[in-house]
Amino acid sequence: LIYLLNANLTLGKNGVPVAENFRLEQSTIPDTVQAGQVRVKTLYLSVDPYMRCRMNEDTGSDYLQPWQLSEVADGGGIGVVEESKHHNLAKGDFVTSFTWPWQTVAILDGDLLQKLVPQLVDGRLSYFLGAAGVTGLTALLGVREKGHVAAGANQTMVVSGAAGACGSLAGQIGRLEGCSRVVGIAGTDEKCSILVQEMGFDAAINYKKGDVAKQLRELCPGGVDVYFDNVGGDISDTVISQMNQNSHIILCGQISQYNKDVPYPPPLPPDTEKIQKERNITRERFLVLNYMDKQEASVLQLCQWIQEGKLKVRETVVEGLANIGAAFQSMMNGGNIGKQIVLVSK
């Protein structure tokens, strides 16, 4: 089974993705595995906000290629090797790739796959797509490289999209790195409760209820020193208005803007930009791929925190390749808590 970007896709630059933008087909793969290749069975696939950019002819990014109409879509994936003609991979090895095709079985170039060590995540392989993968790296390296968190500095961190894959980790990592107060912003009471009760946030704001600016002032009486921004838009303008002198924005994502034809990162409104400049607030584009020299040590740190119970991990799992379009649509609408995962095969 393979999952394709639908030929009748009419999304364009300003539009909301729906499950019908994709279609499921049955196809065949070659009978033989060539030298250097492996045949893999897909176990898990990841759907992520950045994929919305791949639904445009111009992704707005030099490192992301657009999905092609009637071609197999791809993204982060994990599978098990069923047959190998690659010198470093054997039958039974678990492997991952950032460009895993959305299909149940595939023949892939072994050089493009990374071998996984299940023991690092206590056998929970899907974590390598989230907390112990690019998502976790984005949270950890974002906090370390752009947050300027210092233990004992009595800093307050605010995280938007705080119950999502990256935000739920970023808040916890901010605490582990030394923030004295962590406040999340999410879209339901359930998400807010999980952030506080399960993930150790000091407080959480449901942005769909009440006055966000007022609640922020009450929960962050000393202002905001670090803002982990996953959403952009009005929420970010509200947070930035309460940020301190020489504070820092970790520009991770702008999901509120992904369905609009605007550049990335989107420009701030004039009033917000004025605040940013007057208070010397840093707001630099952050791309985890620029820090790959720190990947190995960072993944080991994440795995250690997971094993020690210091980093709580949440996943929203949908079963079946046929449901990946619906999972993507739901994730883009905030339907997930933690990482959105598609279980393709057990």
Side-chain angles (χ1 to χ4, degrees), residues 25-86:
E25 287 188 357
Q26 196 146 5
S27 186
T28 57
I29 61 173
D31 293 330
T32 55
V33 176
Q34 303 295 324
Q37 293 182 327
V38 295
R39 188 178 78 239
V40 293
K41 179 172 77 170
T42 303
L43 301 177
Y44 299 99
L45 293 171
S46 171
V47 289
D48 302 279
Y50 80 85
M51 291 174 170
R52 172 61 183 87
C53 306
R54 300 188 68 190
M55 300 178 84
N56 294 340
E57 290 180 16
D58 177 10
T59 65
S61 168
D62 52 8
Y63 68 93
L64 283 179
Q65 296 300 313
W67 282 330
Q68 298 299 316
L69 294 179
S70 293
E71 296 290 330
V72 181
D74 68 314
I78 290 172
V80 61
V81 176
E82 295 187 321
E83 182 183 349
S84 176
K85 289 189 179 177
H86 186 274

Side-chain angles (χ1 to χ4, degrees), residues 73-317:
D74 68 314
I78 290 172
V80 61
V81 176
E82 295 187 321
E83 182 183 349
S84 176
K85 289 189 179 177
H86 186 274
H87 63 91
N88 195 39
L89 297 172
K91 183 178 180 180
D93 283 347
F94 295 104
V95 290
T96 187
S97 168
F98 194 62
T99 56
W100 197 284
W102 287 6
Q103 55 194 68
T104 51
V105 180
I107 293 177
L108 303 176
D109 181 347
D111 286 342
L112 303 180
L113 299 173
Q114 181 182 353
K115 194 188 299 188
L116 298 173
V117 182
Q119 292 83 356
L120 288 175
V121 289
D122 297 328
R124 292 168 289 195
L125 282 169
S126 57
Y127 282 15
F128 285 115
L129 292 178
V134 172
T135 308
L137 286 171
T138 301
L140 176 57
L141 291 170
V143 170
R144 286 184 171 175
E145 300 296 329
K146 299 295 184 183
H148 303 277
V149 173
N154 197 32
Q155 291 163 297
T156 294
M157 172 187 274
V158 171
V159 183
S160 58
C166 200
S168 61
L169 300 172
Q172 296 179 76
I173 290 168
R175 168 85 76 212
L176 289 165
E177 291 289 285
C179 285
S180 60
R181 186 162 185 77
V182 179
V183 176
I185 302 174
T188 70
D189 289 344
E190 180 193 12
K191 289 179 178 180
C192 290
S193 176
I194 288 169
L195 290 173
V196 175
Q197 302 297 329
E198 195 174 301
M199 297 183 173
F201 284 60
D202 292 284
I205 296 168
N206 181 347
Y207 71 86
K208 295 179 181 176
K209 286 186 173 180
D211 185 333
V212 174
K214 180 172 180 287
Q215 293 177 76
L216 262 182
R217 281 192 295 272
E218 292 170 354
L219 295 171
C220 307
V224 178
D225 302 295
V226 184
Y227 174 39
F228 199 101
D229 185 5
N230 286 304
V231 303
D234 294 341
I235 293 292
S236 289
D237 296 337
T238 301
V239 176
I240 293 168
S241 73
Q242 297 189 32
M243 293 186 73
N244 292 325
Q245 196 75 25
N246 303 317
S247 54
H248 305 283
I249 298 169
I250 303 165
L251 193 58
C252 179
Q254 303 280 280
I255 193 169
S256 73
Q257 307 298 303
Y258 286 167
N259 295 328
K260 303 173 185 177
D261 183 15
V262 294
Y264 187 87
L268 295 171
D271 289 350
T272 307
E273 186 177 22
K274 184 168 181 277
I275 290 170
Q276 183 209 346
K277 289 180 177 176
E278 287 177 350
R279 298 182 193 170
N280 193 35
I281 302 170
T282 63
R283 182 183 184 256
E284 302 162 345
R285 185 170 186 172
F286 170 72
L287 181 59
V288 72
L289 298 177
N290 291 338
Y291 301 93
M292 284 298 97
D293 58 317
K294 301 182 179 181
Q295 175 183 359
E296 188 174 349
S298 299
V299 168
L300 290 175
Q301 174 67 85
L302 291 163
C303 291
Q304 181 183 337
W305 281 337
I306 292 168
Q307 289 178 336
E308 293 172 349
K310 293 179 179 177
L311 195 60
K312 309 292 186 187
V313 181
R314 270 276 188 156
E315 293 180 319
T316 299
V317 181

